[in-house]
Amino acid sequence: MRVAASCVNSSATLKVVNNKVVDAGGYSVYPNPNNGSFACMFSADAECDLTLIVSDIAGKTVLTQAIHAAKGTNEIQETLPENIQRPGMYNVSLGDNSKKIYSGVKITVTR
C-alpha cells in the first residue's frame, strides 16, 4: 500500500483536530467497478492516522489497513487479498483512532 500526496484535486476534505477527524466531506474511490485493485483519494487539512476498512455486502470486514494521511491531497492504492477478491459489492470506509467510521463508498469488484 502507498500513501502519497497528489496534485489532483478532490472534492473530499477531512477536517482534523488533535489527530481526530471531526468532519469527513466524503472521498472518492476509483476505478469503479474494479478487479480488486483501487485507489482512495481524499484531502486532509492536517496530518492524521486513519484506518481504511473494506467490508462485504453482508457487513463482514475483509480488509483493515492503517494509513497515515499527509496534509493536503492523499491517494491510497489498495489491492484486496486474492482469497477475498470475489466479484460483488464492497463498502470502503475511513475511520480514525477514536474508532469513528465515516460513511463508505460502495465499489463493485468484477473479474
Side-chain angles (χ1 to χ4, degrees), residues 51-56 58-65 84 90-91:
T51 303
L52 177 78
I53 303 153
V54 179
S55 54
D56 64 18
K60 178 183 173 191
T61 299
V62 296
L63 178 71
T64 303
Q65 185 71 31
I84 59 170
Y90 292 84
N91 191 54

Side-chain angles (χ1 to χ4, degrees), residues 6-110:
S6 170
C7 61
V8 178
N9 289 329
S10 171
S11 60
T13 300
L14 306 180
K15 182 163 179 52
V16 180
V17 176
N18 295 328
N19 203 37
K20 289 191 169 68
V21 177
V22 294
D23 183 30
Y27 45 94
S28 55
V29 178
Y30 61 90
N32 192 11
N34 62 62
N35 63 359
S37 294
F38 58 90
C40 180
M41 184 178 288
F42 60 92
S43 180
D45 68 353
E47 283 189 44
C48 62
D49 295 318
L50 298 170
T51 303
L52 177 78
I53 303 153
V54 179
S55 54
D56 64 18
I57 197 72
K60 178 183 173 191
T61 299
V62 296
L63 178 71
T64 303
Q65 185 71 31
I67 58 174
H68 181 79
K71 180 178 180 176
T73 302
N74 292 264
E75 182 180 22
I76 303 158
Q77 301 290 330
E78 193 62 69
T79 300
L80 297 176
E82 289 284 326
N83 62 329
I84 59 170
Q85 282 189 19
R86 291 181 221 108
M89 298 281 295
Y90 292 84
N91 191 54
V92 180
S93 302
L94 288 174
D96 64 16
N97 289 337
S98 68
K99 307 297 183 201
K100 184 171 182 179
I101 305 299
Y102 301 96
S103 63
V105 175
K106 295 206 182 326
I107 61 170
T108 303
V109 175
T110 60

